[in-house]
Amino acid sequence: MFLSYLGLISEYPIKHKEIWFASGISTVIICGFFHFKSEEKKYSVEFLFSLSIMLAATLQVINIQWLKILYFPFIIILSFFYGKRTIIPLSILMPSLEAKKFFESQSIIENIIFFLVLFITALISVFLLKSPERKEEKNSKGNKQTERIDDFLDETKVLGSSKFVSDYFESTFNPDNEMKEILEISKKTIFADSVNLFTGYGEELKLRCSTDGARGIITIDGGLITQCYKERKNIIATDMHGKKIEAGYVRKEHISSLIAVPITDGDFVLGVVTADSSRVRAFSSADLDTLRIFSNQIMKILQRERVYPQIHRSFNTLKILNEESSKLLSSLNLEVIVQNLIDSAFRIAPGSIVFFLSRDRNFELFNFKGIQEPERRNFSLKGTLIEMSVKNKAPLFISDVKKYRMPVLPFDSGEIGSVFSLPLIYEKEIIGLLVVTSEETGAFNSYQAEILSVLGNQASISITNAKFHSEIEKIAITDGLTGLFNHRHFQERLLQEFKRLERFTEPMSLLLIDIDYFKKVNDTYGHPVGDSVLKGVAGVIGKTIRNIDIAARYGGEEFAVILIGTDINGANNMAERLRKTISDVKFKADGNIFHVTISTGIAAWSKEIKSTMDFIDRADKALYHAKNSGRNRCVVWDEIKS
């Protein structure tokens, strides 16, 4: 098993899949053999850790960061079959599975929090869920609880519903009823008139439940119960009749005897349990010890009452992260990913949301929700509150913005009370900035910030992948020398426009451009200078045409331009403008300045044209005529077709 672990740390599952997984499976089989063969089920930690190594190796090969959450259901499922002596050591060993990545500077805090939550989940699971060895110790609790656990484990139950989880907790744990039962039993055991539970709220005590009911007890300030609560000590008063001793509460019958026991959880005082009687000397020190035993049972119920919401919250966190992360992974389109991120952020922390995309030293407002669109999109964040988040490369959480004089955003966004700013970082570089604001102060909490931070990490990877995919797509359709579209993409776009014209009738023209005597340029000055001329001519074409037009390098020194919505007169004007502009461009080589000219063939679409090849052929014939009639001119096909 140690060799399998060393292989995992050395990334052998990625480098040598077949060898490592064969070895890993053998390790699991050997450990499982000794574990299940033993009558006392020894070697359980070794067996389960070998399974954990296989899970970690699978995640390492898949290489999807958010799948680390599989450790949670893994540890919870094991808790049903193994006790705390197995699960707790196993959860302590879990961080070693990610030892290589654990101390990376950009993710050490995230890893510490992740495995700390995993350890807490393991603790909660082993104490709340029934493993076989614990069932043998607790058979006295009856068959009802067992049936509930079986229902929880039933595969027909869908844990995707938070309502089901809530219903499950409500059905298995009702703290008020359980504590009321304990108070009733203790009342009968020590022969008290009433037994009451007071819980602490800061410096005050409030009645939680009583054998007399909530209306039978009235709490007053001070008294013996307050002394018991503040000093954390047991109190017994056997003769209060006629004396100025206040119990701290009143009931219909006069209180002559009282015992009070503090409910403590470590160094924290949770409340006070009291028992009273109208009889003088009704209680003894033995009754005090008995009440203290019952108070310990109440303390355990209060502990569980605090833990159950944490489990429910952890479940909801994992559910949200799973759902929203899957959305971020569903597309390689940057706009779709950012929109999904904003929608997810709004679900977690409702408010006004903006997303900035990093553009060198400035930021582009890429998408937003809940704000009025500003006049421009590119901003410098200098002088704003969110600039601190960018400088520190860390989340910024301000619950009361009104304490600061600086603006939150680089544009007018109305009144802002609180803000959460999250930089999206990939390989130590900021690629974007997610900002959530609200008009209210204290609108966001650390829980929301924690979920958004985890979601932001996934978004960083998705956005980087989308950018990389976009660059690859651009390379596939772009001419590497001139930066214009290549010949293949030109043919695809021309075909698309042809199909569009089958449905909508509007003008379209085509220019075929050829640099005059380009071979002479190459022969005289060399091919590097010829490349410079091609770039220069392409640059003029790209700057002169409109954004909706399509320019491409057709081949060699030839260029093609599709003019959308342009008739023959407009195409001729554009061709003349290009010819004159290019002839004025100065090119330098070996200390000499020279100029180049172009010849252009022009064709306009008409219903007579049946295919893209017919369209290109018309422009090509017009270009041929321009070359043969002296060059440096523009020729329209309609003028030469006869």
Side-chain angles (χ1 to χ4, degrees):
M1 184 171 65
F2 183 69
L3 293 177
S4 297
Y5 173 75
L6 289 180
L8 175 69
I9 299 303
S10 303
E11 297 185 346
Y12 265 64
I14 298 175
K15 300 174 182 176
H16 308 286
K17 291 182 184 177
E18 293 80 6
I19 298 175
W20 190 92
F21 277 96
S23 174
I25 292 171
S26 300
T27 302
V28 172
I29 293 173
I30 293 171
C31 292
F33 174 79
F34 286 103
H35 170 56
F36 292 107
K37 185 179 179 182
S38 172
E39 293 182 358
E40 298 179 1
K41 300 297 181 185
K42 294 181 179 179
Y43 310 108
S44 58
V45 175
E46 290 84 349
F47 171 61
L48 297 182
F49 188 63
S50 66
L51 289 176
S52 303
I53 292 174
M54 293 297 293
L55 175 60
T58 304
L59 296 179
Q60 191 179 97
V61 172
I62 296 174
N63 195 26
I64 298 178
Q65 191 69 16
W66 65 267
L67 281 178
K68 286 170 60 178
I69 62 174
L70 291 176
Y71 286 125
F72 286 89
F74 177 71
I75 204 77
I76 292 172
I77 290 171
L78 293 179
S79 300
F80 288 110
F81 305 99
Y82 296 90
K84 60 185 178 182
R85 294 181 182 178
T86 301
I87 297 300
I88 293 177
L90 178 65
S91 61
I92 294 173
L93 290 172
M94 281 291 190
S96 65
L97 299 174
E98 300 285 335
K100 188 168 183 179
K101 296 181 180 179
F102 195 86
F103 296 103
E104 289 180 2
S105 59
Q106 64 268 32
S107 59
I108 184 171
I109 296 177
E110 180 182 335
N111 285 329
I112 290 173
I113 293 173
F114 179 87
F115 284 105
L116 182 60
V117 173
L118 182 64
F119 180 71
I120 294 172
T121 303
L123 287 177
I124 294 171
S125 299
V126 296
F127 285 107
L128 294 184
L129 303 177
K130 284 189 174 184
S131 64
E133 56 193 70
R134 294 178 67 200
K135 284 182 182 177
E136 294 177 2
E137 300 172 359
K138 299 185 178 181
N139 280 335
S140 60
K141 287 194 174 181
N143 294 327
K144 279 191 176 181
Q145 188 72 1
T146 304
E147 291 173 0
R148 288 169 180 167
I149 295 294
D150 290 339
D151 288 341
F152 189 71
L153 287 172
D154 190 351
E155 292 182 357
T156 61
K157 298 284 187 180
V158 180
L159 283 177
S161 169
S162 57
K163 184 179 184 303
F164 173 75
V165 177
S166 300
D167 292 344
Y168 171 74
F169 284 144
E170 289 176 4
S171 67
T172 56
F173 178 57
N174 193 322
D176 288 332
N177 287 347
E178 290 188 24
M179 289 187 289
K180 185 72 177 293
E181 289 176 3
I182 291 175
L183 295 183
E184 291 288 354
I185 294 171
S186 60
K187 174 185 174 181
K188 295 176 181 178
T189 303
I190 61 178
F191 301 102
D193 291 345
S194 74
V195 179
N196 315 289
L197 169 64
F198 300 89
T199 51
Y201 295 88
E203 296 293 322
E204 298 181 359
L205 282 172
K206 293 185 179 180
L207 180 68
R208 175 68 184 269
C209 59
S210 169
T211 55
D212 280 0
R215 296 181 180 180
I217 301 293
I218 300 174
T219 308
I220 60 176
D221 294 335
L224 294 178
I225 62 171
T226 302
Q227 180 184 350
C228 175
Y229 177 66
K230 292 182 176 180
E231 297 179 5
R232 292 192 291 182
K233 67 178 183 180
N234 302 325
I235 291 178
I236 179 169
T238 58
D239 188 3
M240 299 170 60
H241 186 69
K243 298 180 181 179
K244 295 183 178 181
I245 303 175
E246 296 290 343
Y249 64 94
V250 294
R251 53 190 300 269
K252 291 181 180 180
E253 296 182 11
H254 182 73
I255 300 175
S256 297
S257 301
L258 180 138
I259 50 178
V261 176
I263 302 173
T264 58
D265 183 6
D267 294 331
F268 297 97
V269 183
L270 305 178
V272 175
V273 179
T274 67
D276 59 64
S277 175
S278 59
R279 296 176 288 112
V280 177
R281 298 182 182 85
F283 305 117
S284 64
S285 58
D287 295 324
L288 183 66
D289 292 337
T290 301
L291 189 61
R292 188 165 57 244
I293 293 172
F294 285 115
S295 72
N296 288 334
Q297 295 301 314
I298 293 175
M299 181 267 292
K300 293 177 181 178
I301 296 173
L302 292 174
Q303 280 180 332
R304 281 188 287 155
E305 188 178 39
R306 294 201 311 271
V307 167
Y308 274 22
Q310 294 176 11
I311 295 176
H312 192 264
R313 174 173 159 176
S314 297
F315 171 82
N316 282 335
T317 300
L318 293 174
K319 181 173 179 286
I320 291 171
L321 287 176
N322 179 53
E323 292 174 355
E324 303 307 325
S325 294
S326 62
K327 293 178 184 177
L328 295 176
L329 293 169
S330 64
S331 176
L332 284 172
N333 184 292
L334 183 59
E335 293 182 356
V336 173
I337 292 171
V338 172
Q339 184 61 56
N340 287 338
L341 174 62
I342 288 178
D343 292 341
S344 300
F346 185 80
R347 176 186 176 187
I348 296 166
S352 299
I353 304 171
V354 295
F355 180 80
F356 295 96
L357 200 62
S358 179
R359 301 290 190 192
D360 296 325
R361 295 183 180 180
N362 291 332
F363 286 82
E364 175 193 350
L365 179 61
F366 194 81
N367 204 339
F368 55 88
K369 184 186 186 78
I371 66 166
Q372 187 174 355
E373 184 175 1
E375 294 180 357
R376 56 194 180 94
R377 288 297 186 104
N378 290 309
F379 300 95
S380 169
L381 301 184
K382 191 173 182 180
T384 63
L385 277 178
I386 59 176
E387 182 190 16
M388 292 189 288
S389 181
V390 175
K391 284 185 175 180
N392 298 329
K393 293 185 177 180
L396 176 69
F397 183 21
I398 301 177
S399 59
D400 189 359
V401 172
K402 297 176 182 178
K403 296 179 181 179
Y404 299 83
R405 295 183 178 180
M406 301 169 65
V408 177
L409 298 170
F411 52 84
D412 184 17
S413 55
E415 186 177 350
I416 296 178
S418 50
V419 60
F420 176 72
S421 176
L422 176 68
L424 272 59
I425 301 173
Y426 185 80
E427 293 186 351
K428 301 182 180 180
E429 295 295 327
I430 294 180
I431 61 173
L433 185 67
L434 179 70
V435 183
V436 186
T437 64
S438 174
E439 295 179 358
E440 301 177 4
T441 57
F444 311 120
N445 55 48
S446 57
Y447 171 62
Q448 292 168 312
E450 180 182 339
I451 299 179
L452 286 173
S453 297
V454 176
L455 198 65
N457 291 335
Q458 180 60 59
S460 300
I461 298 172
S462 297
I463 289 173
T464 302
N465 290 340
K467 283 184 171 182
F468 182 65
H469 183 262
S470 178
E471 289 175 3
I472 292 175
E473 282 189 330
K474 186 177 180 180
I475 291 171
I477 63 175
T478 304
D479 177 63
L481 178 63
T482 63
L484 301 179
F485 290 125
N486 57 27
H487 182 88
R488 181 176 63 84
H489 188 66
F490 162 75
Q491 294 284 2
E492 291 174 352
R493 290 300 303 272
L494 185 60
L495 182 60
Q496 290 175 9
E497 294 302 321
F498 247 73
K499 290 181 179 179
R500 186 173 63 84
L501 290 175
E502 292 176 358
R503 302 190 306 272
F504 308 102
T505 302
E506 64 177 32
M508 181 177 71
S509 299
L510 175 65
L511 307 182
L512 281 185
I513 302 168
D514 185 85
I515 302 175
D516 298 329
Y517 303 110
F518 183 71
K519 184 177 184 301
K520 186 176 179 181
V521 174
N522 279 335
D523 294 342
T524 304
Y525 302 108
H527 288 281
V529 176
D531 290 345
S532 178
V533 170
L534 289 172
K535 289 180 183 178
V537 171
V540 172
I541 294 173
K543 292 178 182 177
T544 306
I545 64 174
R546 302 165 303 171
N547 290 334
I548 62 171
D549 297 330
I550 303 162
R553 186 181 180 190
Y554 193 71
E557 67 272 22
E558 290 187 359
F559 300 90
V561 180
I562 305 172
L563 300 174
I564 309 297
T566 304
D567 60 15
I568 194 64
N569 293 326
N572 194 29
N573 291 335
M574 175 61 74
E576 282 295 330
R577 193 185 313 159
L578 287 171
R579 186 185 65 80
K580 292 175 182 178
T581 304
I582 291 171
S583 65
D584 291 336
V585 176
K586 296 178 181 180
F587 295 97
K588 294 181 180 180
D590 300 332
N592 298 319
I593 296 176
F594 65 95
H595 299 265
V596 296
T597 60
I598 61 170
S599 298
T600 305
I602 309 167
W605 179 84
S606 67
K607 292 183 178 180
E608 299 172 359
I609 301 174
K610 301 302 181 182
S611 68
T612 58
M613 293 306 298
D614 290 343
F615 199 18
I616 295 171
D617 185 61
R618 290 189 178 193
D620 190 49
K621 287 178 178 177
L623 173 61
Y624 181 78
H625 192 276
K627 301 285 283 186
N628 287 338
S629 57
R631 292 183 169 85
N632 190 22
R633 64 191 63 217
C634 303
V635 174
V636 178
W637 183 83
D638 290 343
E639 298 174 357
I640 65 161
K641 62 181 180 179
S642 59

